[in-house]
Amino acid sequence: MLGDAGLAGKGRSRAPDLAVGEAFPEVDAPSAGAPLVPADSIAHRPFSRPFRRLPPELLPFVGHLEAADLEAAAARAARIGVGADEVLVAGGQIADEEATRLLAAHLGLPVAALPAEDLPHDAALAEAVLRTGVLMAPSTGAPPGFTMAARGRTVRRLRRALSRDAGLRGRVRLVAPATLRRRMAQACRARLAAAAAARLVATAPLKSAATLRPGRLLAMGAAAAGVPLLGVIALAPEMGLLLVQAVLSLVFLAWIAIRLAGCLYRPPHEPSPTLGERELPLYSLLVPLYREAASVPGLVEALAALDYPPEKLDIKLVVEEDDRDTRAALAARALPPHMEEVAVAPVGPRTKPKALDAALPFARGAFVAIYDAEDLPEPDQLRRAVDAFRRGGPQVGCVQARLCIDNGADSWIADQFAAEYAGQFDVLLPVLSALGLPIPLGGTSNHFRRRVLDEVGAWDPYNVTEDADLGIRLARAGWQTRVIASTTFEEAPVTRRAWLGQRTRWLKGWAQTLLVHGRRPRTLVRDLGLAGTLALLLLTAGPFVAALVHPLCLALFAADIWRGVAGLPCTSMVEVITCALTYTTLAAGYAGTAATLTVGLARRGLRPGWRTIALTPVYWLLLSLAAWRAIIELIRRPHFWQKTEHGLTRRRSPAGGTLRSSASAPPPPRPAAAWN
């Protein structure tokens, strides 16, 4: 670890006390021309022990930081494969701006002020500057000038270039990387937000929910299916009703069959990550926040607890520009150097995916992960994700961690939510991953290759379940998704009102996703194959249609009981088949759900209480209410984002139990910082 001496991140220089020549006899010197820093400008004091060669990016700090800090930075940089100056900044030994000032003085270069008129006025140019860290000045025939955010190995290349080309020094200015990103955000925020809202619509309009006309599509679908059905019912009422019952029952029973297959499938044990720190890539985390001031302290602590080199972490806390409370909560925190706020302009739809798209240009990592405000990921999750990408090969474009509710004891609705999540993420998704079928992603703890995100157009700003949609687009583009045995603990809504708003949005988004990808059925089958297409229909249309018709099935069953005909001998084969399908579907639905949530909770080291099982029919009725509300919202407000409040409960294990950390690995100790 680096020592506490030096600037400690406050940007102050201490009196120089070391001479390059005497104290650092093995330090690289400039290869040509006059020395970049005159040796006689630095007072000297020899070290008490021999000092090994310093990497060139540390030379600007000689005489300004303690020798022990420079030694430690050089050693750590060699061990984890980054620039030694990046170690100093990430460790808080020196502020980003001060490091750039010293580097500029060492190289004899000016520090750029970056007035607004020098910044690009085009979103594409702004994204290029953010990606490369280089801003080119306009040129009228003379060699162009550059403003560079130089750090690490870029400093080494710049030193070599300056030594080879004496005229280059008059054309290069330096700027601190954080300053460049901040100034670009201030000057180009609205343009980047507008580009984020329009990108997918412009490049692939048929893949965006923005071009949907839900009311028209629903009316056309109802007419296409309803007119022939009404004709059949008019000519043969019993056969028509039997046909409807048979189709719905088969769809729902097939959906239950997939879940039961997940109960029988046991995910293999995943070994612990083995990659060394030097092999780990730069990883960006995008954390969208909106009205999440209460969640900020726990979120920052949970992210700080991640077991990943901070020099290779790039965390963006994405906030809406006008969300004053959340921004004030972030400003009140002493964020570490690898965490920074990215404010998104109120341009285009006010949705989570638009915010992610607008923040993506600021992400510097080769891999990108998404977390929500209330998330508590296991500390080794990023390492497990990198390991999964490595083991899966280049065709794996996304890794989904498992989500687990840890406040299920707060209310009966949270308890049902926790059981539902256990069935979804510990039973269903692992078997879909094993079968290579399309996976509708969860809204958080998705890990992507950055180039894959760019290739498929990132998130659809107009789809209110952008996660499910992106999972399908990845599959259609030929990319595979893997589910890993690493957990992110989440907070469930604890009131029916909050749950209903969230579930209405989810079901509306699933309907959007199904309508978007179903617009060209032949193309969909070509992209996913027949098995993948059927799986997509079962995973999206199956539960949605089941939720819509479930009250009707219960009403018919209750009517039979009221009339006293339930259980009586049937008078025709049509009645026999209809009753068999009805009772089988109801029994299989309840039994399959009970089995799925029981297995899922067991894989978490829990068992469902009798209330969890007994209240499942009530929960299903609420799902039906949410589904009908979703249909209405899909027509009236298709892009409206129903916000779910977080940070309102005390996080704990459901039913007082101890949550197992993953479904196929023993639980590691929970970090104290993430579980206060």
Side-chain angles (χ1 to χ4, degrees):
M1 296 295 292
L2 297 174
D4 293 331
L7 300 178
K10 297 181 179 179
R12 296 194 305 259
S13 296
R14 55 189 297 274
D17 58 359
L18 300 175
V20 174
E22 291 190 14
F24 295 88
E26 297 180 311
V27 167
D28 291 336
S31 56
L36 296 176
V37 172
D40 59 2
S41 68
I42 302 179
H44 62 84
R45 182 191 56 169
F47 284 111
S48 59
R49 61 183 186 280
F51 192 83
R52 63 189 180 86
R53 184 184 301 272
L54 278 179
E57 64 269 19
L58 285 187
L59 294 182
F61 312 116
V62 173
H64 298 273
L65 293 178
E66 296 288 348
D69 290 343
L70 299 179
E71 285 183 312
R76 178 168 174 80
R79 185 171 70 253
I80 67 175
V82 299
D85 54 345
E86 295 173 297
V87 173
L88 291 173
V89 173
Q93 302 303 111
I94 189 169
D96 193 46
E97 292 80 3
E98 179 70 1
T100 296
R101 187 188 68 79
L102 292 176
L103 173 63
H106 176 75
L107 298 178
L109 298 174
V111 176
L114 285 187
E117 57 269 19
D118 287 354
L119 298 174
H121 297 282
D122 177 78
L125 288 177
E127 292 182 14
V129 171
L130 290 169
R131 182 72 67 92
T132 62
V134 177
L135 175 63
M136 183 181 297
S139 174
T140 57
F146 300 91
T147 298
M148 299 183 63
R151 196 69 80 227
R153 291 179 174 85
T154 304
V155 174
R156 303 183 188 186
R157 292 192 292 269
L158 179 58
R159 283 173 54 88
R160 289 193 295 268
L162 290 172
S163 66
R164 293 168 185 164
D165 183 358
L168 185 62
R169 184 171 285 105
R171 297 190 288 117
V172 176
R173 302 180 301 172
L174 296 184
V175 64
T179 300
L180 176 63
R181 292 191 295 272
R182 184 169 60 252
R183 295 287 293 117
M184 291 294 295
Q186 293 168 349
C188 306
R189 186 174 295 154
R191 299 184 188 92
L192 290 172
R199 184 176 295 112
L200 186 63
V201 180
T203 58
L206 292 181
K207 294 182 179 179
S208 173
T211 58
L212 278 179
R213 298 296 180 265
R216 181 181 178 185
L217 287 175
L218 291 175
M220 291 173 60
V227 171
L229 180 60
L230 289 175
V232 172
I233 292 176
L235 296 174
E238 289 187 345
M239 292 302 297
L241 293 175
L242 176 59
L243 178 63
V244 173
Q245 178 73 17
V247 171
L248 293 177
S249 296
L250 288 176
V251 170
F252 189 58
L253 290 173
W255 176 63
I256 290 294
I258 293 179
R259 297 171 72 85
L260 291 177
C263 295
L264 299 176
Y265 172 72
R266 182 70 182 183
H269 172 73
E270 291 183 10
S272 298
T274 57
L275 290 179
E277 290 187 324
R278 189 175 184 84
E279 300 169 286
L280 294 176
L282 178 62
Y283 222 116
S284 290
L285 308 183
L286 300 182
V287 188
L289 308 172
Y290 182 55
R291 301 206 308 259
E292 297 285 6
S295 299
V296 166
L299 171 67
V300 172
E301 291 177 352
L303 295 176
L306 289 170
D307 178 20
Y308 207 84
E311 297 88 348
K312 293 185 173 183
L313 264 183
D314 171 42
I315 300 177
K316 309 301 183 188
L317 304 172
V318 186
V319 298
E320 295 290 332
E321 186 179 27
D322 55 3
D323 185 3
R324 296 179 180 177
D325 291 343
T326 303
R327 298 190 70 180
L330 290 174
R333 304 285 300 184
L335 296 178
H338 59 278
M339 294 187 196
E340 63 184 6
E341 174 193 285
V342 175
V344 176
V347 177
R350 302 294 295 270
T351 61
K352 171 183 172 182
K354 195 287 296 287
L356 291 173
D357 284 329
L360 186 59
F362 293 87
R364 299 179 289 116
F367 293 86
V368 177
I370 309 303
Y371 289 113
D372 283 341
E374 78 277 17
D375 286 355
L376 300 174
E378 288 185 312
D380 67 345
Q381 186 172 119
L382 301 185
R383 292 177 180 264
R384 285 189 176 274
V386 171
D387 200 53
F389 281 114
R390 181 181 61 85
R391 288 186 285 104
Q395 71 273 18
V396 175
C398 175
V399 166
Q400 170 72 64
R402 301 178 190 182
L403 307 182
C404 178
I405 299 301
D406 64 357
N407 69 316
D410 285 342
S411 68
W412 80 270
I413 198 80
D415 178 58
Q416 290 287 333
F417 200 115
E420 184 183 22
Y421 255 40
Q424 178 78 0
F425 289 95
D426 294 308
V427 176
L428 179 61
L429 293 195
V431 75
L432 294 179
S433 176
L435 293 174
L437 295 174
I439 294 180
L441 300 174
T444 179
S445 303
N446 321 130
H447 302 255
F448 305 96
R449 296 185 193 272
R450 168 63 185 272
R451 61 181 177 84
V452 172
L453 268 180
D454 292 335
E455 176 187 316
V456 301
W459 298 272
D460 180 2
Y462 295 89
N463 192 311
V464 296
T465 51
E466 78 295 335
D467 42 6
D469 169 70
L470 182 54
I472 304 307
R473 280 195 284 121
L474 287 169
R476 294 189 66 174
W479 297 101
Q480 297 179 10
T481 297
R482 293 284 185 266
V483 177
I484 58 173
S486 179
T487 297
T488 296
F489 296 96
E490 284 208 309
E491 173 190 355
V494 297
T495 65
R496 287 187 295 275
R497 181 177 180 179
W499 177 92
L500 186 61
Q502 182 187 68
R503 192 54 57 100
T504 297
R505 173 171 60 82
W506 289 2
L507 289 168
K508 179 174 67 175
W510 289 351
Q512 284 180 322
T513 299
L514 186 61
L515 292 173
V516 165
H517 293 282
R519 284 194 277 196
R520 296 290 186 272
R522 291 183 180 179
T523 305
L524 180 65
V525 175
R526 183 196 65 196
D527 293 344
L528 294 180
L530 183 59
T533 303
L534 291 176
L536 170 61
L537 292 175
L538 290 176
L539 293 170
T540 54
F544 196 94
V545 173
L548 290 175
V549 304
H550 181 62
L552 178 61
C553 294
L554 286 182
L556 292 175
F557 183 55
D560 286 345
I561 295 176
W562 178 261
R563 291 185 294 117
V565 299
L568 293 180
C570 298
T571 59
S572 68
M573 184 55 67
V574 172
E575 285 189 13
V576 171
I577 298 175
T578 302
C579 289
L581 287 173
T582 299
Y583 296 149
T584 299
T585 302
L586 282 174
Y590 288 130
T593 299
T596 303
L597 66 87
T598 299
V599 171
L601 290 173
R603 291 177 179 178
R604 289 285 166 189
L606 301 171
R607 64 178 62 181
W610 68 267
R611 288 181 57 197
T612 305
I613 303 296
L615 292 175
T616 297
V618 180
Y619 191 67
W620 278 21
L621 287 175
L622 285 178
L623 282 170
S624 298
L625 176 60
W628 283 105
R629 289 180 81 236
I631 292 292
I632 296 171
E633 272 207 5
L634 183 63
I635 298 171
R636 295 182 56 199
R637 300 191 296 176
H639 312 306
F640 171 69
W641 186 278
Q642 177 70 43
K643 169 70 176 125
T644 304
E645 299 295 337
H646 299 117
L648 305 178
T649 67
R650 181 185 175 190
R651 310 294 291 278
R652 58 184 181 275
S653 301
T658 301
L659 284 168
R660 187 171 295 153
S661 63
S662 67
S664 61
R670 292 177 179 172
W675 291 91
N676 289 338

